[in-house]
Amino acid sequence: MKFISRHYKKMKIAYIKTAVFAVVVAAFFLPYYQKFESTGDNQFTVYLNGTEIGVVDDLERIDNCLISARKRIAGSGDEMVLTDSDVTYKGQEVLWGDIDDDSVIIGNMVSVLRGSIKETLNRSYTVKINEYTVNLSSTEEVLALLQASLGKYDVQKEYYVDLVLDPARELNVLTTAIYSKEEAKEEEPETTAVSAGIDAELDHIFASVEPEVEKDFSDYELGLQSIEFGDTVEVVEAYLQEEEITSLEEAIEEVTKEQEKEQIYEVVSGDTLSQIAENNSLSLEALIAMNETIENENSTIRVGDELIVTVPEPELSVERVEEVYYEEDYEAEIIYVDNDDWYTNQTKTLQEPSAGHRIVVADVSYRNGEEVEREILKEEITYEAVAKVVERGTKIPPTYIKPISGGRQSSGFGRRKAPTRGASSYHKGIDWATPVGTAVMASSAGTVVKAGWGSGYGYVVYINHADGRQTRYGHLSKVLVSAGQTVSQGQKIALSGNTGVSTGPHVHFEILINGSQVNPLNYLN
C-alpha cells in the first residue's frame, strides 16, 4: 500500500507540473494575450465620444482605424458626412493583457459615429454670375440652366454650352464655352477623299489668285451667326446642406427673368432729359431722383455727361449676332454748311430732305432683346434719299454768370403778390438782397448802352451782348461805366444800392432776348 501511495503522489506532482507548463505555454501563444515589458503604460482602453470601443497596445492603430470607420460612414455617395469624433484613452501598465483586433475596433467606431452624425452635406455646384449666385445639385443641372438662357434666342438649337476649366484661375474653377453644332461636325474625322500632293498645291495656287466675287443677296446665310454670354460665369464644386440647393426650375426662373438694373448712359448730341427718360422707360421724375447732378427738369446736360438709368436685364445676359435681310425707307445723313459768323445755336435749313428706299443684308448685334450695333453687309438702292442741308454757326455763344458774389434771392422771376407800391405785379428779373456797396459785375462781355438814372430802376446799367441778348442791372448806388464802353465778363460795372422803387438794399438783374425778359436762372452758368 505504501508503494501505491508513493507512486500516486509522484503521478500527482507530475500532473500538476504538466498543467502549469501547459498554462504557461498557452499564455505565451494564445492570440489575444500578450506579454508586456515593464516600460510604463502599455495597455490603453480607448473611448470615442465617451463610449469605450476597445483595448489596444499601440495608439497609432487608433488613427488608422478611425480613417477606415469614417470611410464606411461616408460610403460611395456624393454626400459629405459631418460627425463628432472625440478620441480619448486611459493607459495602464500590465504584465499580461487582452487586446482587441482592428476589425472589432473599427466596427465599434462605426456604431458610435453613426449615432454622432451632426449633418450631411450634399455635393453641389455653385454658379456665380457677377454678384448673383445659385447652387445646383449637379453639372447636368448647371448645363441645363445655361442652355435655358441661350434657348430664348437660339430657337433652332444650333448651339450648345459646355463647362471647361478657366485657364485664368489657379484653382479648379469652371467657366463656359459655347459651340455650334456645325463646328462639332467639322471636328469629326473626314471620310471623303481630299486632294493630295500636286493636286493640293494647285488648289492652293488657284484659290489665291481667284478674284473675289461680290456676293448676291441669295448667297448670304441668314440667321444666327454667333452667340455668347455677356457676363462671366464661374462654377465651383461645393458641399452644402439640402436647403441651400435651388431646384433647377427655380434657378431658370431667377436667371432668365428680366429685372431692373442700373446702367450708365452717356449723353450724346441732341439728347434731352425727357427723351433719355422716355428711351429708357422711365418717368422724368424717376430719372431726376436717380441722378444727384440733376436738380430739376430744366437742368443743363452736356455731351459726354454720364447719367444713371435703369434697364430691364436678366441675371445672365446673352449677346448674339444675327444676319438679316430687310427693305426700308431711309434718310440720308444731314449735310452741314458751317458759317463762322454765326453762333453755334444759330441754324438755317437750306434744303429739305426726302426719304429714299433700299434693300439690305446686315449683321445686327443684340444684348438680350436690345439692338446695340448694325453693320450693313450689302445694300441696293431702289431710289436715292435727298439729304437735308443745314447752315450752322461755329462760334461759341457767350456765357452768363451771376452778377454778384453771395447775396440772398429775395424775389424770383414772374408774377408776384403785393409788390412794392409803384412796382409791377409781374417781376421781370431776379432780385438778390445784399448790402449797399457790393460789387456788381458784368454777367457777360458786351457793350454798355445805358448807364445812369432809369426811373423806377434807380441807377441802372444796360449791356448789349454779341449773341443779341441784353442784360440790365438796377437799383444801384453808383455806376462805374459809361455808355459805349466795352466790358469783359466779370468786370466791375457798379455798386449795389437801394435807389428807385425799392424796399431795401438789393440788385435787380434781367436778361432780355429779342427785347423780352426771360428767367435769368435758366441762362446763368
Side-chain angles (χ1 to χ4, degrees), residues 178-421:
I178 299 177
Y179 304 98
S180 69
K181 293 182 178 178
E182 193 65 32
E183 288 173 335
K185 288 180 182 179
E186 291 176 358
E187 292 179 0
E188 295 176 356
E190 296 184 5
T191 57
T192 58
V194 295
S195 299
I198 188 64
D199 291 335
E201 185 63 26
L202 289 173
D203 288 345
H204 176 72
I205 293 173
F206 290 141
S208 63
V209 299
E210 185 177 353
E212 185 176 347
V213 179
E214 183 179 356
K215 284 185 175 182
D216 191 20
F217 284 100
S218 60
D219 295 328
Y220 288 91
E221 295 182 5
L222 306 179
L224 190 61
Q225 303 297 303
S226 65
I227 191 168
E228 59 186 13
F229 292 125
D231 300 293
T232 300
V233 179
E234 297 177 329
V235 181
V236 294
E237 186 180 273
Y239 284 88
L240 302 170
Q241 297 179 7
E242 186 70 32
E243 58 268 22
E244 295 179 277
I245 300 175
T246 303
S247 69
L248 176 60
E249 293 75 16
E250 184 180 348
I252 291 174
E253 171 67 16
E254 289 180 1
V255 171
T256 59
K257 72 179 179 182
E258 291 189 340
Q259 306 174 65
E260 294 295 328
K261 294 186 176 182
E262 286 190 355
Q263 285 194 356
I264 300 298
Y265 175 80
E266 184 174 327
V267 176
V268 298
S269 179
D271 273 344
T272 63
L273 287 175
S274 58
Q275 190 63 49
I276 293 172
E278 181 180 346
N279 291 345
N280 289 279
S281 302
L282 294 169
S283 66
L284 185 56
E285 292 75 15
L287 180 64
I288 294 171
M290 285 182 207
N291 294 271
E292 295 182 357
T293 57
I294 304 176
E295 294 183 2
N296 53 53
E297 64 274 10
N298 296 318
S299 295
T300 302
I301 56 174
R302 296 174 176 82
V303 173
D305 285 350
E306 292 185 345
L307 303 180
I308 298 173
V309 298
T310 58
V311 295
E313 277 200 348
E315 294 290 355
L316 180 54
S317 291
V318 176
E319 297 177 349
R320 69 191 192 280
V321 177
E322 292 188 6
E323 200 162 270
V324 297
Y325 167 91
Y326 56 93
E327 297 187 26
E328 66 172 358
D329 291 335
Y330 74 98
E331 301 287 342
E333 290 188 7
I334 299 175
I335 298 174
Y336 290 101
V337 178
D338 291 338
N339 186 328
D340 295 337
D341 294 326
W342 291 3
Y343 288 105
T344 54
N345 56 6
Q346 293 177 278
T347 60
K348 179 181 180 181
T349 299
L350 303 180
Q351 177 176 284
E352 294 293 342
S354 64
H357 187 270
R358 63 184 175 183
I359 55 177
V360 178
V361 171
D363 276 345
V364 185
S365 300
Y366 296 90
R367 181 178 174 89
N368 302 315
E370 296 294 321
E371 179 181 334
V372 294
E373 188 178 3
R374 182 175 295 250
E375 179 186 0
I376 294 179
L377 304 177
K378 182 179 177 63
E379 70 174 346
E380 187 175 291
I381 305 297
T382 308
Y383 51 88
E384 292 276 358
V386 175
K388 182 177 183 179
V389 180
V390 176
E391 186 175 9
R392 63 182 180 183
T394 59
K395 289 198 305 183
I396 298 174
T399 58
Y400 293 82
I401 61 173
K402 184 179 176 182
I404 64 168
S405 296
R408 174 183 58 84
Q409 183 178 321
S410 55
S411 185
F413 179 86
R415 193 164 300 282
R416 57 184 176 180
K417 296 180 179 179
T420 301
R421 184 174 181 180

Side-chain angles (χ1 to χ4, degrees), residues 98-137:
D98 185 6
I99 60 174
D100 292 309
D101 187 67
D102 283 357
S103 61
V104 174
I105 294 174
I106 292 172
N108 291 338
M109 282 183 167
V110 169
S111 298
V112 174
L113 290 176
R114 289 194 190 281
S116 304
I117 292 177
K118 295 191 295 184
E119 59 183 343
T120 300
L121 299 182
N122 298 275
R123 186 181 185 184
S124 59
Y125 293 85
T126 298
V127 182
K128 184 175 184 294
I129 307 165
N130 299 325
E131 302 304 316
Y132 170 84
T133 59
V134 63
N135 304 312
L136 296 172
S137 63

